[in-house]
Amino acid sequence: MTPAEHSPLIRKLSAFVALSEVELAVLARLHRRRRTFVAGRDIVHQGQSEQTAYILSTGWVCSYKIQADGTRQIVDFQVPGDFLGLRSVLLRTSDHSFEPVVDIEAAEVLTKDLLDAFAETPRLATAILWAASRDEAMVVEHLVGIGRRDADARMAHFLLELGSRLLLVGLGSKAGFECPLTQYHLADALGLSAVHVNRVLRQLRETGLVTFREGHVTFHDLDRLVDLAEFDPAYLDHSGPLLN
Amino acid sequence: MTPAEHSPLIRKLSAFVALSEVELAVLARLHRRRRTFVAGRDIVHQGQSEQTAYILSTGWVCSYKIQADGTRQIVDFQVPGDFLGLRSVLLRTSDHSFEPVVDIEAAEVLTKDLLDAFAETPRLATAILWAASRDEAMVVEHLVGIGRRDADARMAHFLLELGSRLLLVGLGSKAGFECPLTQYHLADALGLSAVHVNRVLRQLRETGLVTFREGHVTFHDLDRLVDLAEFDPAYLDHSGPLLN
């Protein structure tokens, strides 16, 4: 694991707050309890209480809800620099489950340590409120995607958002990114069948927009893809620190 | 307008933090700039930057996104005690629009005042992070509703959630609540046509579960309605202060 000063969370929060030495030290302390988790086994179960939060350092996680009839709705994926279960700690009961998509490394953050960190450095609390607001904006986009976008635009929007999120934490490039998701993940996130996902991906590839193959997403024509998705990245707020 | 000490926001945050005199005073200060807005005219437009946030005191607001093809997805409704545009202030660009459903009263909160308040009372920042987490949990439920619930369960879940939120701020009762929404609001929120909304409401009424008529929602059989919706209110976290 990288030292906390180079952690993806710190890269991400730096987009909002120019972090001081004290704030960096408090963040470093939150990274102390390092854990590893294997792919495919839930870290947190829906309905679980008294869990802790985690800061994801490496790997991808999927957060989802299972309905009583067994269908799964993936709410979002977490990438390095994201919190896992921050909302659940504050709301005391997890409203969803977390499953590592690949083997991951994460720092365990006890509720008390988190609340103490906020008390010590209120700007850090504000920065984390910013990150939570950004997470909420992403869920809103997924809601609009499922409610109002056709399958092509929905997929295009989703891949552009992932690319943008990864860029902010130093992963991937404008040309594309490594992506461990399966077509089943995409289907459960986008409200499509796996067959439909396959068809949409083929069409996006054949029209020269984007290829997702063998764990890699390659953007061929970003401008046209952005147009198709009506992708406006303002909600990801990558315009530089607001708090100096 | 009621004095800040009796504001719906303070009632709501008190579910999470036992507020001190200092915290109450800071919150009172945030309620100073009182504004009124008329029904049907946007307060904040999607894509707008440099806007302020508001604390809603009376009335209902609807937050929505318009797609390029003109379709509207309502993301959520805001009721007394909710922030309007908190996320937009932090993310600097509003990713959605706000429209009062009825004439409303709200306190305008300048970004600087909000950030100063957080610096002064970190517990308040934590409480507002809790409220933001709760808002996000609601958007997640709406996503799951549109993605995975059939129309009856979706409507039932939505009405139960509204009832629960209103109860927390002292509006309505277990028997029901005043509701100024039209069938068009319900349709745009739930991803249904107005005709379908009408049919679903008739069915819920005829099976003796809930009636929505003439601006009033009446719960006839809460237990059966909760079963139909698979409604688990844990995500609304009404179990009493975590921070004492």
Side-chain angles (χ1 to χ4, degrees), chain B residues 138-215:
Chain B
M138 288 188 253
V139 180
V140 166
E141 285 299 326
H142 302 166
L143 172 68
V144 173
I146 287 187
R148 299 294 172 198
R149 288 187 194 113
D150 67 24
D152 284 15
R154 206 183 295 179
M155 177 72 76
H157 201 281
F158 179 74
L159 295 176
L160 286 165
E161 182 188 88
L162 277 176
S164 227
R165 291 169 66 185
L166 290 164
L167 256 187
L168 183 65
V169 292
L171 298 169
S173 72
K174 291 219 160 189
F177 55 90
E178 299 298 323
C179 180
L181 304 181
T182 65
Q183 300 203 345
Y184 295 100
H185 286 121
L186 295 176
D188 285 352
L190 300 177
L192 303 171
S193 68
V195 172
H196 199 172
V197 163
N198 197 34
R199 197 163 58 221
V200 167
L201 287 175
R202 192 174 60 230
Q203 188 170 328
L204 290 173
R205 185 173 68 239
E206 288 176 357
T207 49
L209 294 176
V210 60
T211 298
F212 178 22
R213 190 183 261 164
E214 291 170 9

Side-chain angles (χ1 to χ4, degrees), chain A residues 65 72 92 141 148 240, chain B residues 65 72 92 141 148 240:
Chain A
K65 281 185 75 101
R72 175 168 85 154
R92 283 172 274 190
E141 286 299 326
R148 299 293 173 199
Chain B
K65 281 184 75 100
R72 174 168 86 154
R92 283 172 275 191
E141 285 299 326
R148 299 294 172 198

Side-chain angles (χ1 to χ4, degrees), chain A residues 112-173:
Chain A
K112 186 182 176 310
D113 292 349
L114 190 67
L115 298 177
D116 287 351
F118 289 171
E120 198 174 332
T121 56
R123 275 162 46 106
L124 192 59
T126 308
I128 289 174
L129 179 60
W130 167 82
S133 299
R134 197 168 162 270
D135 288 348
E136 187 187 353
M138 288 189 251
V139 180
V140 167
E141 286 299 326
H142 301 168
L143 172 68
V144 172
I146 288 187
R148 299 293 173 199
R149 288 187 194 114
D150 67 24
D152 283 15
R154 205 182 297 180
M155 178 70 77
H157 201 282
F158 179 74
L159 295 176
L160 286 166
E161 181 187 89
L162 277 176
S164 227
R165 292 169 66 185
L166 290 164
L167 256 187
L168 184 65
V169 292
L171 298 169
S173 73

